Amino acid sequence: MVRTMSLLRALLRTARMIRHTPRLADGLPPDGAVLLDAPDERIGPTLVAAAGGEFEPAAELLAATREAAQWESRDRYVTRLAVFAHSRGEWLSSWLAAVPRDPDALIVKAELAIRRAWDSPARAEQLRELGPLIDAAADAAPGDPVPWRIALDHARGVHTPHTAFEALWEQAVRRSPHHYGCHVAALRYLSAQWYGSHRECFDFAEKAAADALPGSLIRALPVRAAFARMEYETPRGGAGPVRLAHSVEAERVDAAADLAIALSAGHPAADPWPAEVRNLTAYVLARRGRWQPALEQFRLVGPYATSFPWNRFSDDPLGRFLDTRDGVRIQVASATPLRSRTGRGGFAGH
């Protein structure tokens, strides 16, 4: 009898999946329409120009962000330009040759050098040599917090003690108290993977989120702390639901995800600006087995897949994104009743 009931449950689950999975694709772009790390309308033409060896559009874009104190956009664009220069750097070399003390060229140079050093087997040794390069970028633009975000990333790699890290942090927040990139750098330092603990990581993230302005990406900092906790539990990123040993930790992870859901709801669907936060929130919700809200985040993501967090577990982040999205859709379909309460075979909840 027990075996018969188990078989019936399995058959019902399969029937639900077959019936509802196609309908749950509504609002989800087809796989071929999903883009990985798609540039926005400002950085896109700049990258095209850089591919042709022209540095002037990059110089104009970064100068505009610096002059307007658009620090969040500046940080994103510096990162994108440095990633591009990692494989195609002729335009950056030309820029530095033409204007060697340009604060915008110097900051891209510093970010690129840090990224190369992090990828090196001799990471700590190479990072230690880059202090003067970061100092030069900071001195060239005294009010800019982005060189200090780079300094925080650098400090994590060279095993900077807590007191010295706190001094760098004070310099960063003095320039921009709510800079998201600097907060993410500090969160990484405080994680259990590096020099802190799960409790320190969550405490920092939750306090920062509580103090953040409405709509600020800093309100997603707790979900990054939740991700760090999950990553510590399963370093290679298992695909199934994660079980946290302590109920307090589980509550903090779920509360972090709820806060990120609320932040996501305040932005338009298919908006590239919160795309990374939505990708991360979808991942955390899926790992917690919260399939329906995870599916909603995938709908809000639209075509904007981001490398993080998927590249932490796979050499094919876009493939991992699409596989997880499909898996979440199947889970929701499997839990949806075959018929609505009226018995007419409607799609429950829609």
Side-chain angles (χ1 to χ4, degrees):
M1 183 66 177
V2 172
R3 297 177 71 177
T4 300
M5 291 302 296
S6 296
L7 177 59
L8 284 173
R9 283 194 293 269
L11 290 172
L12 281 171
R13 180 179 173 85
T14 302
R16 290 168 178 168
M17 181 182 69
I18 292 171
R19 180 181 181 87
H20 296 307
T21 297
R23 302 187 190 186
L24 287 169
D26 290 347
L28 296 175
D31 289 2
V34 178
L35 307 171
L36 184 69
D37 298 329
D40 67 23
E41 69 280 359
R42 295 179 74 187
I43 192 67
T46 301
L47 295 173
V48 171
E54 301 175 26
F55 68 82
E56 290 84 1
E60 292 172 5
L61 175 61
L62 292 188
T65 61
R66 175 168 45 84
E67 292 163 4
Q70 296 172 337
W71 304 129
E72 303 293 359
S73 295
R74 179 174 177 80
D75 203 356
R76 288 193 180 196
Y77 296 153
V78 165
T79 299
R80 287 301 298 263
L81 289 166
V83 168
F84 187 79
H86 199 290
S87 57
R88 303 186 67 174
E90 300 83 2
W91 61 276
L92 179 57
S93 299
S94 299
W95 187 3
L96 289 162
V99 197
R101 296 184 180 179
D102 187 307
D104 305 312
L106 287 175
I107 197 171
V108 177
K109 180 181 179 182
E111 175 71 14
L112 173 59
I114 291 292
R115 287 180 169 270
R116 283 177 170 163
W118 271 98
D119 292 341
S120 169
R123 180 174 66 195
E125 181 180 348
Q126 289 193 19
L127 283 171
R128 278 192 290 269
E129 299 173 355
L130 299 179
L133 196 61
I134 300 170
D135 292 342
D139 291 343
D144 185 357
V146 181
W148 296 96
R149 190 271 300 161
I150 297 173
L152 293 170
D153 286 337
H154 174 260
R156 179 165 49 93
V158 297
H159 312 293
T160 298
H162 276 63
T163 52
F165 190 88
E166 288 171 5
L168 293 173
W169 170 250
E170 289 176 5
Q171 292 291 331
V173 296
R174 182 181 302 172
R175 287 158 175 82
S176 181
H178 302 290
H179 186 259
Y180 178 64
C182 289
H183 280 76
V184 170
L187 186 76
R188 287 172 176 161
Y189 182 92
L190 292 172
S191 69
Q193 289 95 324
W194 290 95
Y195 309 113
S197 66
H198 299 314
R199 177 174 292 180
E200 285 180 283
C201 193
F202 268 113
D203 287 349
F204 172 79
E206 289 167 355
K207 185 178 186 306
D211 293 341
L213 300 172
S216 169
L217 294 184
I218 291 177
R219 290 183 177 266
L221 217 59
V223 87
R224 290 196 75 119
F227 173 80
R229 178 65 185 91
M230 292 178 170
E231 189 179 23
Y232 188 87
E233 189 79 18
T234 52
R236 286 306 298 166
V242 64
R243 305 297 179 190
L244 297 170
H246 304 290
S247 60
V248 173
E249 279 192 337
E251 290 173 4
R252 293 183 96 168
V253 168
D254 288 334
D258 290 340
L259 188 59
I261 290 170
L263 173 65
S264 175
H267 291 271
D271 182 353
W273 181 256
E276 185 179 271
V277 166
R278 284 171 168 161
N279 276 250
L280 178 61
T281 305
Y283 172 83
V284 170
L285 288 167
R287 293 301 311 280
R288 288 293 291 152
R290 297 176 61 181
W291 308 117
Q292 186 67 56
L295 182 61
E296 179 58 25
Q297 288 306 304
F298 278 118
R299 287 198 176 101
L300 291 171
V301 164
Y304 295 109
T306 58
S307 290
F308 178 80
W310 317 105
N311 61 358
R312 303 297 283 269
F313 318 118
S314 172
D315 294 330
D316 178 15
L318 180 56
R320 184 62 179 264
F321 170 92
L322 294 173
D323 288 347
T324 304
R325 191 179 70 164
D326 285 346
V328 166
R329 190 158 56 99
I330 289 170
Q331 290 287 349
V332 173
S334 299
T336 302
L338 280 173
R339 293 181 178 273
S340 68
R341 292 181 180 179
T342 62
R344 295 179 179 273
F347 185 30
H350 287 258

